[in-house]
Amino acid sequence: DCTFSGDRVALVAVKMVGEYVCTLSEELLQRAKEEINEVPERRADDIEHIRDWLKHQPHITARLDDWTILRFLRGCKFSLQRTKEKLDMFYTCKTLCPEWYKNRDPQDKKIRAILELGMFLPLPGYDNEGRKVVIIRTALHDPKVTSMEEVFKATHLISDVLWMEDEQMSVTGVVQLLDMADVTPAHGMQMTPALVKKAMTIWQEGYPMRPKGLHYINTPAAFDTVFNIFKSFMKEKMRKRVHIHGTDMESLYRHVPKSVLPVEYGGTNGTIEEITKYWIERLDARRDWLLEDEKYVVDESKRPGKAKTSAELFGLEGSFRKLNVD
């Protein structure tokens, strides 16, 4: 039964539009205090401080609701300065990467075809440490028909809706499981250094995610080559959270319990088909939100100081020397 009963979707409507309504248990509130410096008594003031700052940024058109701002505060461990930098970067990345963030209709034919493959699947419930687990099945698309840009665009619809709907994840973080089964050289060729740099910049600098682990399974022989490119753009903290299991599922289960994994991965948590269907339904339910989301961007012509460019943010100049790392 794939009901996602552990996920608190019901209160999201309240959080999105007006005042934040906390859905966390006492235990999670305590974790938020200890791990990300959240003080419930100060929360509203912190949100208001950031909202006021956003209103005074001539170049940013931002979501100003409590919940959006709180997610960034949590992702930045309640550092007000870091939150401001991250929010600016988030809206800048969205603006300078229109190929991912424009025309995001989950009912678009091309996007739908990618979604139906089930390439990016947040799993129902949470792992033993309360974290969200996401399976990424990297090689399901046909490289002759679908580009990696199109894949990233489609899968970001799911990650953005997940991130907006799942409050627990904003405290406990996320674990990613990358299944490399059936990866071909053609798939590898799609992961150019330029694309990897862009992806890593957006994920690490733009999103207030709390990545807690990266697990690779079914890795092909030439995996190291592509992975070293990724690693060269990874922050040191993230590199330490990488685990490569090959085909050893018992090794994976020591980190990611069977109870959270789908049947196809030796688990008991629904089937890939059920979970894929669930996420397509969630995107359809959030279609208006996704389409409206396009208007939250920056206008570089109004930025105080020097305008940012795509080349500056995602360009590879100065990065190639790093590609020989390891």
Side-chain angles (χ1 to χ4, degrees), residues 246-310:
T247 55
D248 185 352
M249 293 302 279
E250 291 305 320
S251 167
L252 174 70
Y253 300 148
R254 285 196 283 277
H255 298 270
V256 183
K258 287 184 181 184
S259 58
V260 80
L261 290 168
V263 174
E264 291 85 347
Y265 289 82
T268 54
N269 194 17
T271 66
I272 291 290
E273 187 185 350
E274 288 170 332
I275 299 165
T276 302
K277 185 166 171 279
Y278 171 88
W279 279 106
I280 290 174
E281 285 170 3
R282 288 295 336 129
L283 295 188
D284 284 342
R286 292 279 173 225
R287 182 173 181 239
D288 290 347
W289 182 86
L290 287 161
L291 294 174
E292 186 230 6
D293 193 57
E294 287 185 23
K295 71 184 188 198
Y296 300 105
V297 287
V298 296
D299 179 346
E300 289 300 337
S301 70
K302 295 180 180 172
R303 182 187 290 276
K306 185 172 170 279
K308 293 196 174 171
T309 65
S310 172

Side-chain angles (χ1 to χ4, degrees), residues 191-201 226 229-231 233:
M191 297 304 292
T192 62
L195 182 63
V196 173
K197 168 81 190 290
K198 180 165 72 175
M200 297 306 281
T201 301
V226 174
I229 299 175
F230 259 103
K231 220 154 76 167
F233 296 117

Side-chain angles (χ1 to χ4, degrees), residues 58-108:
H59 62 301
I60 305 178
T61 302
R63 289 188 181 276
L64 298 173
D65 61 282
D66 287 6
W67 174 228
T68 297
I69 294 169
L70 179 58
R71 288 185 321 212
F72 279 88
L73 282 162
R74 283 178 175 162
C76 299
K77 297 191 172 178
F78 281 80
S79 156
L80 297 177
Q81 184 55 35
R82 183 80 191 95
T83 302
K84 291 170 188 175
E85 290 166 5
K86 181 81 80 168
L87 274 160
D88 190 321
M89 185 58 115
F90 175 70
Y91 290 110
T92 303
C93 286
K94 274 185 70 184
T95 309
L96 296 180
C97 187
E99 59 273 27
W100 291 10
Y101 292 101
K102 282 274 179 225
N103 308 314
R104 301 209 303 164
D105 186 347
Q107 291 168 13
D108 170 84

Side-chain angles (χ1 to χ4, degrees), residues 5-236:
S5 55
D7 304 38
R8 301 175 179 83
V9 171
L11 284 166
V12 168
V14 182
K15 290 188 296 197
M16 278 167 58
V17 287
E19 204 175 314
Y20 164 70
V21 178
C22 185
T23 66
L24 299 175
S25 65
E26 285 302 317
E27 182 196 354
L28 284 170
L29 282 170
Q30 188 56 39
R31 263 181 83 170
K33 277 183 192 174
E34 291 166 10
E35 293 179 24
I36 54 175
N37 311 311
E38 180 163 353
V39 181
E41 297 75 22
R42 211 183 59 216
R43 189 195 288 130
D45 288 344
D46 288 343
I47 290 171
E48 196 48 53
H49 176 94
I50 297 297
R51 180 159 37 232
D52 185 61
W53 175 82
L54 281 167
K55 284 178 181 171
H56 287 88
Q57 302 311 301
H59 62 301
I60 305 178
T61 302
R63 289 188 181 276
L64 298 173
D65 61 282
D66 287 6
W67 174 228
T68 297
I69 294 169
L70 179 58
R71 288 185 321 212
F72 279 88
L73 282 162
R74 283 178 175 162
C76 299
K77 297 191 172 178
F78 281 80
S79 156
L80 297 177
Q81 184 55 35
R82 183 80 191 95
T83 302
K84 291 170 188 175
E85 290 166 5
K86 181 81 80 168
L87 274 160
D88 190 321
M89 185 58 115
F90 175 70
Y91 290 110
T92 303
C93 286
K94 274 185 70 184
T95 309
L96 296 180
C97 187
E99 59 273 27
W100 291 10
Y101 292 101
K102 282 274 179 225
N103 308 314
R104 301 209 303 164
D105 186 347
Q107 291 168 13
D108 170 84
K109 208 170 153 194
K110 182 75 191 187
I111 290 175
R112 195 64 157 208
I114 297 168
L115 294 172
E116 285 172 352
L117 293 173
M119 294 185 76
F120 183 96
L121 298 175
L123 304 177
Y126 307 92
D127 74 3
N128 298 342
E129 294 179 56
R131 305 172 302 190
K132 199 68 182 169
V133 178
V134 178
I135 287 184
I136 301 167
R137 302 192 298 157
T138 57
L140 294 184
H141 68 289
D142 179 350
K144 291 197 287 290
V145 178
T146 304
S147 71
M148 273 321 288
E149 296 279 18
E150 290 169 322
V151 169
F152 282 145
K153 177 178 181 169
T155 55
H156 268 76
L157 269 68
I158 297 177
S159 75
D160 285 359
V161 167
L162 166 70
W163 181 54
M164 184 261 286
E165 289 190 341
D166 195 300
E167 173 157 31
Q168 177 164 327
M169 188 178 88
S170 70
V171 172
T172 57
V174 65
V175 172
Q176 293 188 325
L177 168 57
L178 289 96
D179 182 354
M180 311 296 288
D182 303 320
V183 166
T184 64
H187 288 108
M189 295 287 284
Q190 288 191 319
M191 297 304 292
T192 62
L195 182 63
V196 173
K197 168 81 190 290
K198 180 165 72 175
M200 297 306 281
T201 301
I202 290 173
W203 296 336
Q204 293 185 131
E205 309 298 333
Y207 278 85
M209 290 293 196
R210 308 195 62 235
K212 293 296 180 182
L214 268 178
H215 296 270
Y216 289 86
I217 59 169
N218 299 319
T219 44
F223 173 70
D224 287 355
T225 315
V226 174
F227 183 63
N228 281 339
I229 299 175
F230 259 103
K231 220 154 76 167
S232 68
F233 296 117
M234 258 181 211
K235 291 181 174 173
E236 186 56 35

